[in-house]
Amino acid sequence: MTTLNSHNIPRHVAIIMDGNGRWARQKGFGRVFGHEKGAETVRDVVTASREIGVRWLTLYAFSEENWKRPQHEIQALMKLLRRFLKRELDEMQENGIKLNTIGRIEKLPAATQEILLHTIQKTRENQDMVLTLALSYGGRQEIIDAVQAIARKVANHELDSSDITETLISNALYTQGMPDPDFLIRTSGEYRISNFLLWQLSYTELYITPTLWPDFTKAEYLRAISEYQHRERRFGSTGTGQ
Ligand code: IPE
Ligand code: IPE
Ligand code: MG
């Protein structure tokens, strides 16, 4: 068992949940089966995060670029999401988990938007952890939306260009009000960000594991958090004792 320092739990963990398709293919199944197994991992990681005291958990569930996938896979993912939300509502209520989303939610099928909004509404008073699902999310699209909103304000003389600061930009992003991630996990061994949280990850600690998402266990998650606890975050300063 991994022992964690309860005083150094990352406040915000973000995860690129990758490798469902390969996991299924390796076992001779269709990709959708991998997504189904992946949904079980989501549940385990949400529960573990809540147990160890992570306050913000952000999961990359569907990227803007994932719309390029075959229709049947997209439909299966949307259906799985609806099923997940229905099934997990009671658990979220019992554990004080508040649901949030980032991304161009308006692009999702109406039935998916409906259950998302319903779950957000039902869980809005929960205080223990914020679970954010990145859906139809792209970091560049988020920056475009923010720049457009800011440009409109400048054009309307509500804002001067000299008012544009780091804080102002952060507050114009989908993640307004959320702290930047302390720790980013990517499964399936790809060394890339894939358009996730481009602005917010500037000083995030990265952890990449070859494990495919359906095989990612609570034990590995806790080991990853333990590794985070041994990192020295310098934010551009000199290290301690130097
Ligand atoms: C991650 O698994 C889930 C989504 C992107 C929705 P993938 O479906 O990308 O699985 P691989 O990377 O093809 O194995
Ligand atoms: C990133 O995985 C998106 C999600 C996990 C939702 P992808 O499988 O889409 O990323 P690439 O194509 O390997 O970069
Ligand atoms: Mg992938």
PDB file of all heavy atoms in Angstrom, residues 15-20 22 31 59-66 69 134 137 186-188 190 192-196, ligand 2:
ATOM      1  N   ILE A  15      -6.674  14.487 -15.890  1.00  0.00           N
ATOM      2  CA  ILE A  15      -6.286  13.191 -16.474  1.00  0.00           C
ATOM      3  C   ILE A  15      -6.702  13.095 -17.938  1.00  0.00           C
ATOM      4  O   ILE A  15      -7.851  13.368 -18.294  1.00  0.00           O
ATOM      5  CB  ILE A  15      -6.902  11.997 -15.700  1.00  0.00           C
ATOM      6  CG1 ILE A  15      -6.593  12.105 -14.193  1.00  0.00           C
ATOM      7  CG2 ILE A  15      -6.378  10.669 -16.262  1.00  0.00           C
ATOM      8  CD1 ILE A  15      -7.100  10.937 -13.352  1.00  0.00           C
ATOM      9  N   ILE A  16      -5.726  12.712 -18.769  1.00  0.00           N
ATOM     10  CA  ILE A  16      -6.017  12.371 -20.165  1.00  0.00           C
ATOM     11  C   ILE A  16      -6.187  10.853 -20.184  1.00  0.00           C
ATOM     12  O   ILE A  16      -5.220  10.099 -20.081  1.00  0.00           O
ATOM     13  CB  ILE A  16      -4.872  12.821 -21.112  1.00  0.00           C
ATOM     14  CG1 ILE A  16      -4.640  14.341 -20.995  1.00  0.00           C
ATOM     15  CG2 ILE A  16      -5.196  12.419 -22.565  1.00  0.00           C
ATOM     16  CD1 ILE A  16      -3.458  14.873 -21.818  1.00  0.00           C
ATOM     17  N   MET A  17      -7.433  10.437 -20.263  1.00  0.00           N
ATOM     18  CA  MET A  17      -7.762   9.009 -20.122  1.00  0.00           C
ATOM     19  C   MET A  17      -7.630   8.363 -21.496  1.00  0.00           C
ATOM     20  O   MET A  17      -8.586   8.330 -22.258  1.00  0.00           O
ATOM     21  CB  MET A  17      -9.205   8.880 -19.618  1.00  0.00           C
ATOM     22  CG  MET A  17      -9.543   9.774 -18.438  1.00  0.00           C
ATOM     23  SD  MET A  17     -11.231   9.523 -17.844  1.00  0.00           S
ATOM     24  CE  MET A  17     -12.203  10.300 -19.110  1.00  0.00           C
ATOM     25  N   ASP A  18      -6.467   7.850 -21.806  1.00  0.00           N
ATOM     26  CA  ASP A  18      -6.230   7.370 -23.167  1.00  0.00           C
ATOM     27  C   ASP A  18      -5.916   5.874 -23.183  1.00  0.00           C
ATOM     28  O   ASP A  18      -5.397   5.331 -22.210  1.00  0.00           O
ATOM     29  CB  ASP A  18      -5.053   8.165 -23.776  1.00  0.00           C
ATOM     30  CG  ASP A  18      -5.018   8.047 -25.291  1.00  0.00           C
ATOM     31  OD1 ASP A  18      -6.021   7.628 -25.898  1.00  0.00           O
ATOM     32  OD2 ASP A  18      -3.964   8.382 -25.876  1.00  0.00           O
ATOM     33  N   GLY A  19      -6.250   5.238 -24.302  1.00  0.00           N
ATOM     34  CA  GLY A  19      -5.869   3.836 -24.501  1.00  0.00           C
ATOM     35  C   GLY A  19      -7.021   2.836 -24.475  1.00  0.00           C
ATOM     36  O   GLY A  19      -6.776   1.626 -24.527  1.00  0.00           O
ATOM     37  N   ASN A  20      -8.255   3.324 -24.437  1.00  0.00           N
ATOM     38  CA  ASN A  20      -9.401   2.397 -24.406  1.00  0.00           C
ATOM     39  C   ASN A  20      -9.459   1.528 -25.661  1.00  0.00           C
ATOM     40  O   ASN A  20      -9.717   0.324 -25.584  1.00  0.00           O
ATOM     41  CB  ASN A  20     -10.722   3.173 -24.340  1.00  0.00           C
ATOM     42  CG  ASN A  20     -10.900   3.910 -23.036  1.00  0.00           C
ATOM     43  OD1 ASN A  20     -10.167   3.671 -22.087  1.00  0.00           O
ATOM     44  ND2 ASN A  20     -11.871   4.812 -22.995  1.00  0.00           N
ATOM     45  N   ARG A  22      -7.058   0.735 -27.872  1.00  0.00           N
ATOM     46  CA  ARG A  22      -5.981  -0.264 -27.950  1.00  0.00           C
ATOM     47  C   ARG A  22      -6.200  -1.406 -26.964  1.00  0.00           C
ATOM     48  O   ARG A  22      -5.936  -2.562 -27.266  1.00  0.00           O
ATOM     49  CB  ARG A  22      -4.618   0.412 -27.673  1.00  0.00           C
ATOM     50  CG  ARG A  22      -4.006   1.024 -28.911  1.00  0.00           C
ATOM     51  CD  ARG A  22      -2.927   2.003 -28.568  1.00  0.00           C
ATOM     52  NE  ARG A  22      -3.506   3.240 -28.060  1.00  0.00           N
ATOM     53  CZ  ARG A  22      -2.800   4.195 -27.470  1.00  0.00           C
ATOM     54  NH1 ARG A  22      -1.501   4.041 -27.290  1.00  0.00           N
ATOM     55  NH2 ARG A  22      -3.391   5.293 -27.074  1.00  0.00           N
ATOM     56  N   ARG A  31     -13.596  -1.404 -30.248  1.00  0.00           N
ATOM     57  CA  ARG A  31     -13.124  -0.277 -29.435  1.00  0.00           C
ATOM     58  C   ARG A  31     -14.118   0.128 -28.344  1.00  0.00           C
ATOM     59  O   ARG A  31     -13.728   0.539 -27.249  1.00  0.00           O
ATOM     60  CB  ARG A  31     -12.846   0.939 -30.332  1.00  0.00           C
ATOM     61  CG  ARG A  31     -11.735   0.716 -31.365  1.00  0.00           C
ATOM     62  CD  ARG A  31     -11.611   1.929 -32.282  1.00  0.00           C
ATOM     63  NE  ARG A  31     -11.500   3.148 -31.523  1.00  0.00           N
ATOM     64  CZ  ARG A  31     -10.358   3.619 -31.038  1.00  0.00           C
ATOM     65  NH1 ARG A  31      -9.229   2.987 -31.256  1.00  0.00           N
ATOM     66  NH2 ARG A  31     -10.355   4.737 -30.345  1.00  0.00           N
ATOM     67  N   LEU A  59     -11.391  15.441 -15.961  1.00  0.00           N
ATOM     68  CA  LEU A  59     -11.174  14.288 -16.831  1.00  0.00           C
ATOM     69  C   LEU A  59     -11.436  14.664 -18.289  1.00  0.00           C
ATOM     70  O   LEU A  59     -12.497  15.199 -18.621  1.00  0.00           O
ATOM     71  CB  LEU A  59     -12.111  13.149 -16.425  1.00  0.00           C
ATOM     72  CG  LEU A  59     -12.003  12.683 -14.972  1.00  0.00           C
ATOM     73  CD1 LEU A  59     -13.047  11.601 -14.689  1.00  0.00           C
ATOM     74  CD2 LEU A  59     -10.601  12.147 -14.661  1.00  0.00           C
ATOM     75  N   TYR A  60     -10.461  14.349 -19.128  1.00  0.00           N
ATOM     76  CA  TYR A  60     -10.613  14.609 -20.571  1.00  0.00           C
ATOM     77  C   TYR A  60     -11.386  13.421 -21.136  1.00  0.00           C
ATOM     78  O   TYR A  60     -10.858  12.321 -21.285  1.00  0.00           O
ATOM     79  CB  TYR A  60      -9.216  14.679 -21.192  1.00  0.00           C
ATOM     80  CG  TYR A  60      -9.086  15.455 -22.493  1.00  0.00           C
ATOM     81  CD1 TYR A  60     -10.137  16.154 -23.066  1.00  0.00           C
ATOM     82  CD2 TYR A  60      -7.847  15.494 -23.142  1.00  0.00           C
ATOM     83  CE1 TYR A  60      -9.965  16.873 -24.240  1.00  0.00           C
ATOM     84  CE2 TYR A  60      -7.665  16.213 -24.318  1.00  0.00           C
ATOM     85  CZ  TYR A  60      -8.726  16.899 -24.863  1.00  0.00           C
ATOM     86  OH  TYR A  60      -8.554  17.604 -26.027  1.00  0.00           O
ATOM     87  N   ALA A  61     -12.661  13.641 -21.413  1.00  0.00           N
ATOM     88  CA  ALA A  61     -13.531  12.539 -21.826  1.00  0.00           C
ATOM     89  C   ALA A  61     -13.782  12.528 -23.329  1.00  0.00           C
ATOM     90  O   ALA A  61     -14.008  11.469 -23.915  1.00  0.00           O
ATOM     91  CB  ALA A  61     -14.856  12.623 -21.072  1.00  0.00           C
ATOM     92  N   PHE A  62     -13.773  13.731 -23.944  1.00  0.00           N
ATOM     93  CA  PHE A  62     -14.044  13.790 -25.390  1.00  0.00           C
ATOM     94  C   PHE A  62     -13.477  15.105 -25.922  1.00  0.00           C
ATOM     95  O   PHE A  62     -13.868  16.183 -25.470  1.00  0.00           O
ATOM     96  CB  PHE A  62     -15.555  13.724 -25.638  1.00  0.00           C
ATOM     97  CG  PHE A  62     -15.925  13.465 -27.071  1.00  0.00           C
ATOM     98  CD1 PHE A  62     -15.916  12.173 -27.583  1.00  0.00           C
ATOM     99  CD2 PHE A  62     -16.244  14.512 -27.933  1.00  0.00           C
ATOM    100  CE1 PHE A  62     -16.247  11.929 -28.922  1.00  0.00           C
ATOM    101  CE2 PHE A  62     -16.572  14.281 -29.267  1.00  0.00           C
ATOM    102  CZ  PHE A  62     -16.569  12.978 -29.759  1.00  0.00           C
ATOM    103  N   SER A  63     -12.547  14.987 -26.855  1.00  0.00           N
ATOM    104  CA  SER A  63     -11.895  16.208 -27.346  1.00  0.00           C
ATOM    105  C   SER A  63     -12.643  16.761 -28.551  1.00  0.00           C
ATOM    106  O   SER A  63     -13.436  16.056 -29.190  1.00  0.00           O
ATOM    107  CB  SER A  63     -10.444  15.915 -27.731  1.00  0.00           C
ATOM    108  OG  SER A  63     -10.391  15.236 -28.970  1.00  0.00           O
ATOM    109  N   GLU A  64     -12.349  18.000 -28.861  1.00  0.00           N
ATOM    110  CA  GLU A  64     -12.925  18.630 -30.050  1.00  0.00           C
ATOM    111  C   GLU A  64     -12.548  17.798 -31.290  1.00  0.00           C
ATOM    112  O   GLU A  64     -13.357  17.604 -32.194  1.00  0.00           O
ATOM    113  CB  GLU A  64     -12.347  20.052 -30.144  1.00  0.00           C
ATOM    114  CG  GLU A  64     -12.989  20.963 -31.142  1.00  0.00           C
ATOM    115  CD  GLU A  64     -14.474  21.202 -30.933  1.00  0.00           C
ATOM    116  OE1 GLU A  64     -14.924  21.314 -29.780  1.00  0.00           O
ATOM    117  OE2 GLU A  64     -15.176  21.268 -31.947  1.00  0.00           O
ATOM    118  N   GLU A  65     -11.337  17.275 -31.288  1.00  0.00           N
ATOM    119  CA  GLU A  65     -10.866  16.486 -32.433  1.00  0.00           C
ATOM    120  C   GLU A  65     -11.498  15.088 -32.475  1.00  0.00           C
ATOM    121  O   GLU A  65     -11.502  14.442 -33.521  1.00  0.00           O
ATOM    122  CB  GLU A  65      -9.333  16.359 -32.393  1.00  0.00           C
ATOM    123  CG  GLU A  65      -8.589  17.661 -32.681  1.00  0.00           C
ATOM    124  CD  GLU A  65      -8.642  18.694 -31.545  1.00  0.00           C
ATOM    125  OE1 GLU A  65      -8.796  18.280 -30.368  1.00  0.00           O
ATOM    126  OE2 GLU A  65      -8.541  19.901 -31.826  1.00  0.00           O
ATOM    127  N   ASN A  66     -12.042  14.627 -31.358  1.00  0.00           N
ATOM    128  CA  ASN A  66     -12.677  13.305 -31.346  1.00  0.00           C
ATOM    129  C   ASN A  66     -13.948  13.258 -32.208  1.00  0.00           C
ATOM    130  O   ASN A  66     -14.431  12.170 -32.540  1.00  0.00           O
ATOM    131  CB  ASN A  66     -12.985  12.836 -29.918  1.00  0.00           C
ATOM    132  CG  ASN A  66     -11.754  12.458 -29.106  1.00  0.00           C
ATOM    133  OD1 ASN A  66     -11.735  12.607 -27.886  1.00  0.00           O
ATOM    134  ND2 ASN A  66     -10.697  11.963 -29.763  1.00  0.00           N
ATOM    135  N   ARG A  69     -13.987  10.992 -35.263  1.00  0.00           N
ATOM    136  CA  ARG A  69     -14.107   9.519 -35.182  1.00  0.00           C
ATOM    137  C   ARG A  69     -15.376   9.031 -35.888  1.00  0.00           C
ATOM    138  O   ARG A  69     -16.294   9.812 -36.125  1.00  0.00           O
ATOM    139  CB  ARG A  69     -14.124   9.094 -33.709  1.00  0.00           C
ATOM    140  CG  ARG A  69     -12.786   9.386 -33.066  1.00  0.00           C
ATOM    141  CD  ARG A  69     -12.687   8.774 -31.712  1.00  0.00           C
ATOM    142  NE  ARG A  69     -11.365   9.074 -31.156  1.00  0.00           N
ATOM    143  CZ  ARG A  69     -10.788   8.403 -30.190  1.00  0.00           C
ATOM    144  NH1 ARG A  69     -11.396   7.376 -29.655  1.00  0.00           N
ATOM    145  NH2 ARG A  69      -9.597   8.737 -29.758  1.00  0.00           N
ATOM    146  N   ALA A 134     -14.300  17.222 -19.344  1.00  0.00           N
ATOM    147  CA  ALA A 134     -13.986  17.994 -20.544  1.00  0.00           C
ATOM    148  C   ALA A 134     -14.625  17.265 -21.715  1.00  0.00           C
ATOM    149  O   ALA A 134     -14.264  16.130 -22.039  1.00  0.00           O
ATOM    150  CB  ALA A 134     -12.471  18.096 -20.719  1.00  0.00           C
ATOM    151  N   TYR A 137     -14.084  19.329 -25.873  1.00  0.00           N
ATOM    152  CA  TYR A 137     -13.135  20.313 -25.357  1.00  0.00           C
ATOM    153  C   TYR A 137     -11.882  20.391 -26.219  1.00  0.00           C
ATOM    154  O   TYR A 137     -11.319  19.365 -26.611  1.00  0.00           O
ATOM    155  CB  TYR A 137     -12.717  19.949 -23.915  1.00  0.00           C
ATOM    156  CG  TYR A 137     -11.623  20.878 -23.426  1.00  0.00           C
ATOM    157  CD1 TYR A 137     -11.953  22.082 -22.818  1.00  0.00           C
ATOM    158  CD2 TYR A 137     -10.281  20.587 -23.660  1.00  0.00           C
ATOM    159  CE1 TYR A 137     -10.963  22.973 -22.442  1.00  0.00           C
ATOM    160  CE2 TYR A 137      -9.285  21.472 -23.289  1.00  0.00           C
ATOM    161  CZ  TYR A 137      -9.640  22.668 -22.673  1.00  0.00           C
ATOM    162  OH  TYR A 137      -8.658  23.555 -22.319  1.00  0.00           O
ATOM    163  N   ARG A 186      -1.337  11.132 -17.869  1.00  0.00           N
ATOM    164  CA  ARG A 186      -1.798  10.624 -19.165  1.00  0.00           C
ATOM    165  C   ARG A 186      -1.499   9.137 -19.222  1.00  0.00           C
ATOM    166  O   ARG A 186      -0.352   8.718 -19.031  1.00  0.00           O
ATOM    167  CB  ARG A 186      -1.126  11.323 -20.340  1.00  0.00           C
ATOM    168  CG  ARG A 186      -1.663  10.749 -21.671  1.00  0.00           C
ATOM    169  CD  ARG A 186      -1.297  11.521 -22.902  1.00  0.00           C
ATOM    170  NE  ARG A 186      -2.047  10.972 -24.034  1.00  0.00           N
ATOM    171  CZ  ARG A 186      -2.481  11.655 -25.071  1.00  0.00           C
ATOM    172  NH1 ARG A 186      -2.220  12.942 -25.162  1.00  0.00           N
ATOM    173  NH2 ARG A 186      -3.151  11.068 -26.034  1.00  0.00           N
ATOM    174  N   THR A 187      -2.512   8.363 -19.518  1.00  0.00           N
ATOM    175  CA  THR A 187      -2.304   6.928 -19.677  1.00  0.00           C
ATOM    176  C   THR A 187      -2.011   6.613 -21.133  1.00  0.00           C
ATOM    177  O   THR A 187      -2.170   7.453 -22.016  1.00  0.00           O
ATOM    178  CB  THR A 187      -3.539   6.131 -19.196  1.00  0.00           C
ATOM    179  OG1 THR A 187      -4.681   6.568 -19.927  1.00  0.00           O
ATOM    180  CG2 THR A 187      -3.776   6.313 -17.718  1.00  0.00           C
ATOM    181  N   SER A 188      -1.562   5.406 -21.383  1.00  0.00           N
ATOM    182  CA  SER A 188      -1.304   4.812 -22.701  1.00  0.00           C
ATOM    183  C   SER A 188       0.000   5.247 -23.347  1.00  0.00           C
ATOM    184  O   SER A 188       0.246   4.931 -24.510  1.00  0.00           O
ATOM    185  CB  SER A 188      -2.473   5.034 -23.676  1.00  0.00           C
ATOM    186  OG  SER A 188      -2.277   6.184 -24.461  1.00  0.00           O
ATOM    187  N   GLU A 190       1.488   7.957 -24.460  1.00  0.00           N
ATOM    188  CA  GLU A 190       1.724   8.977 -25.490  1.00  0.00           C
ATOM    189  C   GLU A 190       2.282  10.229 -24.819  1.00  0.00           C
ATOM    190  O   GLU A 190       1.708  10.716 -23.856  1.00  0.00           O
ATOM    191  CB  GLU A 190       0.428   9.362 -26.219  1.00  0.00           C
ATOM    192  CG  GLU A 190      -0.379   8.214 -26.769  1.00  0.00           C
ATOM    193  CD  GLU A 190       0.270   7.514 -27.945  1.00  0.00           C
ATOM    194  OE1 GLU A 190       1.371   7.910 -28.365  1.00  0.00           O
ATOM    195  OE2 GLU A 190      -0.345   6.552 -28.437  1.00  0.00           O
ATOM    196  N   ARG A 192       2.179  13.440 -25.307  1.00  0.00           N
ATOM    197  CA  ARG A 192       1.618  14.671 -25.864  1.00  0.00           C
ATOM    198  C   ARG A 192       0.420  15.138 -25.035  1.00  0.00           C
ATOM    199  O   ARG A 192      -0.149  14.393 -24.240  1.00  0.00           O
ATOM    200  CB  ARG A 192       1.225  14.483 -27.330  1.00  0.00           C
ATOM    201  CG  ARG A 192       0.327  13.299 -27.614  1.00  0.00           C
ATOM    202  CD  ARG A 192      -0.047  13.221 -29.101  1.00  0.00           C
ATOM    203  NE  ARG A 192      -0.804  12.025 -29.382  1.00  0.00           N
ATOM    204  CZ  ARG A 192      -0.310  10.909 -29.937  1.00  0.00           C
ATOM    205  NH1 ARG A 192       0.955  10.853 -30.292  1.00  0.00           N
ATOM    206  NH2 ARG A 192      -1.085   9.855 -30.145  1.00  0.00           N
ATOM    207  N   ILE A 193       0.059  16.391 -25.291  1.00  0.00           N
ATOM    208  CA  ILE A 193      -0.990  17.062 -24.524  1.00  0.00           C
ATOM    209  C   ILE A 193      -2.342  16.938 -25.242  1.00  0.00           C
ATOM    210  O   ILE A 193      -3.398  17.050 -24.614  1.00  0.00           O
ATOM    211  CB  ILE A 193      -0.609  18.561 -24.339  1.00  0.00           C
ATOM    212  CG1 ILE A 193       0.677  18.714 -23.512  1.00  0.00           C
ATOM    213  CG2 ILE A 193      -1.739  19.370 -23.715  1.00  0.00           C
ATOM    214  CD1 ILE A 193       0.561  18.243 -22.082  1.00  0.00           C
ATOM    215  N   SER A 194      -2.310  16.726 -26.572  1.00  0.00           N
ATOM    216  CA  SER A 194      -3.538  16.555 -27.359  1.00  0.00           C
ATOM    217  C   SER A 194      -4.587  17.655 -27.095  1.00  0.00           C
ATOM    218  O   SER A 194      -5.772  17.354 -26.904  1.00  0.00           O
ATOM    219  CB  SER A 194      -4.144  15.164 -27.135  1.00  0.00           C
ATOM    220  OG  SER A 194      -3.221  14.161 -27.501  1.00  0.00           O
ATOM    221  N   ASN A 195      -4.116  18.900 -27.090  1.00  0.00           N
ATOM    222  CA  ASN A 195      -5.051  20.044 -27.017  1.00  0.00           C
ATOM    223  C   ASN A 195      -5.813  20.135 -25.691  1.00  0.00           C
ATOM    224  O   ASN A 195      -6.928  20.638 -25.642  1.00  0.00           O
ATOM    225  CB  ASN A 195      -6.030  19.988 -28.205  1.00  0.00           C
ATOM    226  CG  ASN A 195      -6.558  21.358 -28.604  1.00  0.00           C
ATOM    227  OD1 ASN A 195      -6.037  22.389 -28.165  1.00  0.00           O
ATOM    228  ND2 ASN A 195      -7.587  21.379 -29.428  1.00  0.00           N
ATOM    229  N   PHE A 196      -5.209  19.657 -24.633  1.00  0.00           N
ATOM    230  CA  PHE A 196      -5.859  19.704 -23.311  1.00  0.00           C
ATOM    231  C   PHE A 196      -5.305  20.875 -22.500  1.00  0.00           C
ATOM    232  O   PHE A 196      -4.086  21.020 -22.382  1.00  0.00           O
ATOM    233  CB  PHE A 196      -5.592  18.378 -22.584  1.00  0.00           C
ATOM    234  CG  PHE A 196      -6.457  18.125 -21.370  1.00  0.00           C
ATOM    235  CD1 PHE A 196      -7.797  18.463 -21.341  1.00  0.00           C
ATOM    236  CD2 PHE A 196      -5.920  17.493 -20.258  1.00  0.00           C
ATOM    237  CE1 PHE A 196      -8.591  18.196 -20.232  1.00  0.00           C
ATOM    238  CE2 PHE A 196      -6.696  17.205 -19.143  1.00  0.00           C
ATOM    239  CZ  PHE A 196      -8.032  17.567 -19.127  1.00  0.00           C
TER     240      PHE A 196
HETATM  241  C1  IPE B   2      -7.037  12.538 -26.047  1.00  0.00           C
HETATM  242  O1  IPE B   2      -6.927  11.256 -26.567  1.00  0.00           O
HETATM  243  C2  IPE B   2      -8.475  12.881 -25.828  1.00  0.00           C
HETATM  244  C3  IPE B   2      -9.131  12.156 -24.743  1.00  0.00           C
HETATM  245  C4  IPE B   2      -8.573  11.320 -23.911  1.00  0.00           C
HETATM  246  C5  IPE B   2     -10.538  12.434 -24.592  1.00  0.00           C
HETATM  247  P1  IPE B   2      -6.832  10.996 -28.142  1.00  0.00           P
HETATM  248  O2  IPE B   2      -6.712   9.548 -28.307  1.00  0.00           O
HETATM  249  O3  IPE B   2      -7.951  11.677 -28.823  1.00  0.00           O
HETATM  250  O4  IPE B   2      -5.482  11.762 -28.522  1.00  0.00           O
HETATM  251  P2  IPE B   2      -4.445  11.514 -29.687  1.00  0.00           P
HETATM  252  O5  IPE B   2      -5.228  11.484 -30.963  1.00  0.00           O
HETATM  253  O6  IPE B   2      -3.772  10.216 -29.424  1.00  0.00           O
HETATM  254  O7  IPE B   2      -3.488  12.655 -29.586  1.00  0.00           O
END
